[in-house]
Amino acid sequence: MRLTVLGCAGSFPGPDSAASGYLVQADDADGRTWTVLLDLGNGALSALQRFGDPTRLDAIGLSHLHADHVADMVVLNVLRRYHPSGPCDPVTVHGPTGTAERLAQMAGKDPATSTDGQFDVVEWQEGSPVTVGPLVLVPVAVEHPVPAFGIRVSGPSDADPSRTVTLAYTGDTDACAGLDTLAAGVDLLLSEAAYLEGRDDALRGVHLTGRRAGEAAARGSAGQLVLTHIPAWNDPALTLAEAAAVYTGPIALAHPGAVHVL
Ligand SMILES: [Zn+2]
Ligand SMILES: [Zn+2]
């Protein structure tokens, strides 16, 4: 299983990165590569063309409906629908309640009559697994001002396909029971860390700090921690230091194009 970072800028695209977008890929026993896209925020479609293939997606999972996680879905639809080679086959989009309506609204369409055929929307059911080839996605509700999910993804290890590995993507969340469910025993925790200790202490129920992400990784005995969703106005070195103070495993800062092989 492989994780490719498309965009990792928190809350808005930064000068060096698009907003949130990630590819998770795994090969099945026949050698076919299966690809799941997790989130597609502002600018992430550009990175998806550079580091992946927007016409070859087996499923899309949306953590929540904030613009920095879904804004480029409207232009992904354009790319797939009007491709000179012909329209792509529909792809299933898993998301929270209201996903179909939001996608239609972003495209300027009436949600009641919009049937452009590119996205088949299926709403997440808390804890219910979704199977995509050799990958299994489990949505876990987390704490954010709007309905939001983190997603655990399990699949065959690249190094040893007989072994199942798991990564968890937090989406946007503060510390909560769902975060601990996500982090428990994972090989890799891809955690947001939008806030800073001290500066943002009064803001709870929205985002993690580097420290809170590190604490979740430590509690869950995560094999490694990748910090993401850091806004351009933060110093990532501070976020890294916060996490390293409480989590002793390997820590990386997400950057566009990074590939994490599990
Ligand atoms: Zn966000
Ligand atoms: Zn959000």
Side-chain angles (χ1 to χ4, degrees):
M1 188 162 72
R2 304 171 293 283
L3 166 69
T4 301
V5 178
L6 302 176
C8 53
S11 305
F12 54 89
D16 302 317
S17 176
S20 295
Y22 309 92
L23 286 180
V24 181
Q25 296 177 300
D27 304 327
D28 66 16
D30 298 325
R32 179 202 193 283
T33 297
W34 292 75
T35 302
V36 173
L37 171 67
L38 298 178
D39 287 347
L40 196 70
N42 319 70
L45 179 59
S46 175
L48 177 56
Q49 293 167 83
R50 181 169 180 184
F51 302 117
D53 183 344
T55 69
R56 301 188 69 171
L57 300 170
D58 295 297
I60 299 172
L62 301 178
S63 64
H64 66 299
L65 300 178
H66 278 158
D68 60 314
H69 296 257
V70 302
D72 271 14
M73 288 291 289
V74 65
V75 281
L76 175 64
N77 181 43
V78 172
L79 185 154
R80 292 174 58 93
R81 186 179 181 194
Y82 298 106
H83 200 284
S85 302
C88 297
D89 291 335
V91 61
T92 301
V93 178
H94 303 271
T97 300
T99 295
E101 292 78 4
R102 178 64 56 84
L103 295 180
Q105 288 163 352
M106 287 195 303
K109 295 174 180 169
D110 179 351
T113 59
S114 173
T115 52
D116 62 25
Q118 274 301 302
F119 297 139
D120 293 335
V121 175
V122 177
E123 294 182 353
W124 294 122
Q125 301 299 316
E126 163 76 15
S128 289
V130 170
T131 299
V132 184
L135 296 168
V136 178
L137 286 63
V138 179
V140 179
V142 291
E143 185 178 3
H144 200 52
V146 298
F149 292 87
I151 301 146
R152 278 177 72 105
V153 187
S154 299
S157 165
D158 258 26
D160 176 6
S162 68
R163 196 165 67 87
T164 297
V165 290
T166 302
L167 69 82
Y169 167 48
T170 63
D172 285 3
T173 186
D174 200 347
C176 61
L179 176 64
D180 285 348
T181 299
L182 287 165
V186 291
D187 297 276
L188 186 153
L189 178 63
L190 175 64
S191 179
E192 74 120 296
Y195 283 169
L196 286 172
E197 294 288 320
R199 187 192 69 186
D200 300 316
D201 289 353
L203 303 167
R204 295 308 304 260
V206 186
H207 288 301
L208 295 167
T209 62
R211 180 184 181 89
R212 296 201 287 268
E215 288 170 343
R219 281 194 301 271
S221 300
Q224 56 180 300
L225 173 63
V226 178
L227 296 166
T228 191
H229 200 282
I230 298 174
W233 53 47
N234 287 10
D235 177 357
L238 294 177
T239 302
L240 189 62
E242 285 184 16
V246 294
Y247 172 70
T248 56
I251 308 175
L253 291 169
H255 63 87
V259 181
H260 300 269
V261 180
L262 297 173

